[in-house]
Amino acid sequence: MNDETIITGPLYAGRKKVYPQATHGTFRSIKWALLVFTLGVYYLLPFVRWDRGPNLPNQAVLIDMPHRRFYFFFIELWPQEVYYFTGLLILAAMTLFLMNAVAGRIWCGYLCWQTVWTDLFYAVERWVEGDRRDRIMKDKKGWTLPHIREVATKHFLWLMIAWWTGGAWVLYFNDAPTLVWQLLTFKAPAIAYTWIAILTFTTYVFAGHLREQTCIYICPWPRIQAAMTDEWALNVAYERDRGEPRMSVKKAAHARDKGEKVGDCIDCQQCIAVCPTGVDIRKGSQLGCIQCGLCIDACDNVMKEIGRPPHLIYYDNDINVERRANGLAPVYRPIRPRTLIYPAMIALVGSVMLYQLTTRSNLGVNVLHDRNPLAVTTADGGVRNGYTVRLLNKQPNDRKIDLSVDGAPGLKLDIVGEGTGSSVTVGPDQTLELRVLVSAPLGTVPAKAVPVTFTAQDNPGAAKVTKASASDHFFPE
């Protein structure tokens, strides 16, 4: 008879509620500064004005869906310029990779929107219900009337923050002051209320309830980051060789009197208490650690109180963790191939985007040659080719466009429906499709197909002229 092991109880441990404790120090101050800056930009940027001239919106950052435009201060992007957004995604990815190469999950700890909004929600929770110990005691006592009042107040404030988060988002899609007034008077489009409701719900759920679970179980970046990092990247680490063996201050004093080895860690567990994900950094790098540095501040405060050197927990690389265990001096390599390649790629993509942005034209032309027939013989013995030409006016005003063709001697261009003229007016922010005939008189017909260039010119004869061109071929009979 084979022995059988009977497993009783759940296979997985239940979720333990995390009660992050407030702390102060260098990294907490950095997080507060970044929180104020990032949220200030998000909430206030729609109200910043930028004068672009007549017939153009004066909101600095605006996604103008009706006119298919994206405005960012002096930059204006059109739908056909989707490659700029591709470039921005590449820049964002390379920046994230660079941050990972330098200091691990520093993005997660300081700049990720989940971290920023959760930090804000934690601040509201502490303000209303008290710090870690107060919240634990109130939860143990159960639902008393004062506790119910505090919890209701907290959730109301959370919903207000979430509501304004959703409200600020829709302001990027319309003139902010106008839309705010429409929202307050219930005259805004239904789509605005719909998106505010969606983003209110998601912000409230993710920042108020899911919290650290988002970082551990939902976000894919921790797993991607773990595969991309190396042993030289700085991560929050516990100096085990200095901290062990752990013991209280009183026991440490007795141990020193006996000549025994004593570590600096007094096992106060303040590093765990302040961690937003409840990680014990003394157990080494873990998936739940978002590298926020709050445990560093908490530990440094304790070390200061007991008169021991700071930085028992600090940003360090895996190489030094091993070197210190072997009694060797720490070494750092901030400059290495990956910290050079990523900035080089950022500079390259950024330069290409900047060049394209500064050299682009707000006038476009496209040419398509008739497929059948390729050429027609005219009554005077010449040859005529037919083309479909599309002119694109990317400005908010009417523009007179002169169309010309060159590439072979004697070519003559006529726009069908415009008599014998070669000029048309294109409306603001419009595309105009034209039927164009190009003729070569007898004696100037090329012996074989030759490339020709169509040039669209804005304001012919003016001091400032905008040109755009497109090429095709002229075919003989």
Side-chain angles (χ1 to χ4, degrees):
M1 183 175 178
N2 296 329
D3 293 335
E4 295 183 358
T5 301
I6 300 176
I7 301 175
T8 59
L11 293 176
Y12 302 96
R15 174 177 177 253
K16 185 178 179 181
K17 187 174 180 180
V18 178
Y19 296 87
Q21 180 175 298
T23 188
H24 63 275
T26 301
F27 297 100
R28 178 65 267 182
S29 297
I30 293 173
K31 284 175 66 65
W32 281 131
L34 290 175
L35 183 149
V36 172
F37 173 75
T38 53
L39 292 183
V41 169
Y42 175 75
Y43 289 124
L44 300 178
L45 191 56
F47 297 96
V48 176
R49 302 293 96 182
W50 188 269
D51 186 14
R52 298 186 178 89
N55 303 322
L56 288 172
N58 66 347
Q59 186 164 311
V61 180
L62 177 66
I63 303 172
D64 190 355
M65 299 297 286
H67 298 95
R68 299 179 298 279
R69 292 287 188 274
F70 172 66
Y71 298 98
F72 185 83
F73 292 92
F74 63 91
I75 299 174
E76 178 183 342
L77 299 181
W78 304 299
Q80 59 270 32
E81 294 178 323
V82 66
Y83 48 83
Y84 283 112
F85 295 100
T86 304
L88 288 175
L89 290 175
I90 294 174
L91 290 178
M94 291 299 105
T95 302
L96 195 59
F97 298 161
L98 177 60
M99 295 173 72
N100 172 54
V102 173
R105 292 175 65 185
I106 191 172
W107 161 264
C108 301
Y110 295 90
L111 292 169
C112 174
W113 43 85
Q114 174 66 19
T115 298
V116 171
W117 263 279
T118 300
D119 221 7
L120 178 61
F121 276 45
Y122 274 138
V124 171
E125 185 174 59
R126 294 190 191 102
W127 179 60
V128 175
E129 295 189 61
D131 207 353
R132 171 185 166 86
R133 182 176 297 179
D134 296 328
R135 299 199 305 274
I136 293 176
M137 294 301 296
K138 290 173 182 177
D139 283 352
K140 285 183 178 179
K141 289 181 180 178
W143 292 105
T144 63
L145 186 59
H147 190 201
I148 292 174
R149 185 168 56 249
E150 289 178 349
V151 171
T153 302
K154 176 186 70 175
H155 284 278
F156 171 76
L157 294 175
W158 281 359
L159 283 169
M160 290 299 96
I161 295 172
W163 171 76
W164 186 241
T165 299
W169 175 255
V170 301
L171 298 183
Y172 286 92
F173 293 83
N174 206 331
D175 182 67
T178 303
L179 186 55
V180 167
W181 176 251
Q182 291 175 342
L183 290 169
L184 293 175
T185 56
F186 300 99
K187 296 180 180 179
I191 189 67
Y193 293 106
T194 301
W195 274 107
I196 290 175
I198 292 172
L199 292 172
T200 298
F201 173 77
T202 53
T203 304
Y204 173 73
V205 170
F206 277 87
H209 295 276
L210 294 180
R211 295 182 172 182
E212 73 280 353
Q213 304 302 303
T214 302
C215 305
I216 298 174
Y217 299 110
I218 300 177
C219 180
W221 177 238
R223 292 153 183 84
I224 298 173
Q225 178 269 340
M228 296 186 60
T229 193
D230 63 3
E231 66 274 15
W232 294 104
L234 296 176
N235 292 289
V236 175
Y238 167 65
E239 292 189 9
R240 181 170 296 277
D241 57 299
R242 174 189 154 191
E244 302 295 328
R246 312 172 198 167
M247 59 186 72
S248 67
V249 176
K250 184 179 292 186
K251 289 182 179 179
H254 291 307
R256 286 194 183 93
D257 292 339
K258 296 177 182 179
E260 298 176 1
K261 185 179 185 307
V262 176
D264 283 347
C265 180
I266 61 174
D267 205 18
C268 63
Q269 300 195 11
Q270 286 299 295
C271 56
I272 305 174
V274 301
C275 180
T277 59
V279 163
D280 186 350
I281 195 61
R282 297 172 298 178
K283 296 180 180 179
S285 297
Q286 300 164 60
L287 184 66
C289 179
I290 62 174
Q291 308 292 329
C292 63
L294 294 181
C295 55
I296 299 175
D297 287 338
C299 187
D300 283 353
N301 293 335
V302 173
M303 292 296 105
K304 183 178 179 181
E305 289 179 6
I306 63 176
R308 296 180 185 176
H311 303 341
L312 177 59
I313 302 174
Y314 207 64
Y315 281 96
D316 209 345
N317 58 49
D318 294 342
I319 296 292
N320 288 337
V321 172
E322 296 181 5
R323 288 178 65 87
R324 267 193 298 269
N326 297 323
L328 301 175
V331 293
Y332 300 94
R333 285 183 57 188
I335 306 300
R336 54 192 193 277
R338 67 177 62 198
T339 59
L340 294 175
I341 292 173
Y342 294 144
M345 295 182 67
I346 291 172
L348 176 62
V349 175
S351 299
V352 171
M353 292 176 62
L354 183 61
Y355 173 78
Q356 290 283 47
L357 192 64
T358 55
T359 59
R360 67 179 181 169
S361 173
N362 54 23
L363 176 64
V365 58
N366 293 292
V367 178
L368 180 64
H369 195 289
D370 288 352
R371 293 183 177 273
N372 187 23
L374 290 176
V376 175
T377 303
T378 60
D380 59 0
V383 173
R384 184 180 68 221
N385 284 201
Y387 302 86
T388 299
V389 177
R390 290 186 179 88
L391 299 176
L392 175 59
N393 176 16
K394 301 176 184 178
Q395 287 188 347
N397 51 273
D398 291 338
R399 300 169 77 181
K400 184 178 180 182
I401 306 299
D402 181 70
L403 190 63
S404 61
V405 62
D406 60 75
L411 293 181
K412 180 183 178 183
L413 182 146
D414 291 303
I415 300 175
V416 176
E418 300 291 331
T420 59
S422 60
S423 296
V424 292
T425 299
V426 184
D429 197 22
Q430 291 183 7
T431 298
L432 180 62
E433 184 173 298
L434 304 172
R435 172 71 175 162
V436 174
L437 301 177
V438 177
S439 304
L442 181 65
T444 63
V445 179
K448 60 180 182 179
V450 296
V452 292
T453 300
F454 292 78
T455 301
Q457 181 175 321
D458 181 20
N459 297 323
K464 184 178 180 181
V465 177
T466 302
K467 292 184 178 181
S469 61
S471 298
D472 209 296
H473 286 78
F474 185 87
F475 295 90
E477 184 180 5

